[in-house]
């Protein structure tokens, strides 16, 4: 009986998709002023690199000092911040900021002047 109910539900779902295609409903609306451009809304917070002894800030592949270093940022550079998460502690601070475009993570201990940051 359960198999029959699942099979009937699957048939009904397939029929609904055939009648109401999902692609027609989910198509993004174009901006009226620029109908061929795609606009991505980003609301990044911004911070500034502030390390001790003016060393470069390590960017890591994950939120912790055990992750590999994938890049660095110089002191004073503005950083776009996507979100914050918890990771290994740096001088007692367990917050890490995720950078956009899969660039990596930086310790919040070394970032100043940031705005409101959402949680990942």
């Amino acid at each position: 009986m359960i198999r029959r109910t699942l099979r009937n539900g699957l048939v009904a779902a397939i029929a609904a998709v055939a009648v109401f295609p999902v692609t027609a409903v989910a198509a993004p609306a174009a901006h009226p002023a620029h109908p061929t451009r795609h606009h991505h809304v980003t609301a990044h917070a911004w911070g500034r690199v502030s390390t001790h002894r003016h060393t470069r800030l390590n960017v890591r592949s994950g939120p912790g000092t055990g992750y590999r270093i994938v890049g660095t940022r110089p002191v004073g550079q503005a950083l776009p911040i996507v979100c914050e998460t918890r990771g290994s502690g740096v001088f007692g601070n367990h917050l890490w900021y995720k950078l956009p475009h899969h660039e990596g993570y930086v310790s919040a201990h070394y970032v100043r002047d940031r705005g409101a940051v959402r949680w990942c």
Side-chain angles (χ1 to χ4, degrees):
M1 181 165 173
I2 293 174
R3 286 184 185 168
R4 188 176 334 139
T5 303
L6 290 175
R7 185 180 63 227
N8 291 343
L10 182 60
V11 170
I14 291 171
V17 169
V19 173
F20 303 105
V22 175
T23 55
V25 175
H31 189 280
H34 305 284
T36 59
R37 288 189 192 167
H38 295 285
H39 293 278
H40 299 283
V41 177
T42 57
H44 299 305
W46 287 86
R48 191 161 301 282
V49 175
S50 175
T51 58
H52 303 292
R53 295 185 221 112
H54 299 288
T55 57
R56 294 177 68 87
L57 175 63
N58 289 332
V59 178
R60 297 189 177 266
S61 63
T65 56
Y67 290 90
R68 67 185 172 86
I69 297 171
V70 296
T72 61
R73 297 295 183 272
V75 172
Q77 181 179 22
L79 291 176
I81 301 168
V82 174
C83 59
E84 67 183 347
T85 188
R86 290 189 56 84
S88 66
V90 176
F91 295 104
N93 187 339
H94 290 269
L95 293 179
W96 286 75
Y97 295 138
K98 182 178 181 182
L99 303 179
H101 310 296
H102 308 289
E103 291 178 19
Y105 294 79
V106 294
S107 171
H109 179 76
Y110 299 112
V111 179
R112 301 288 177 260
D113 303 325
R114 60 205 166 268
V117 181
R118 69 178 179 86
W119 282 98
C120 296

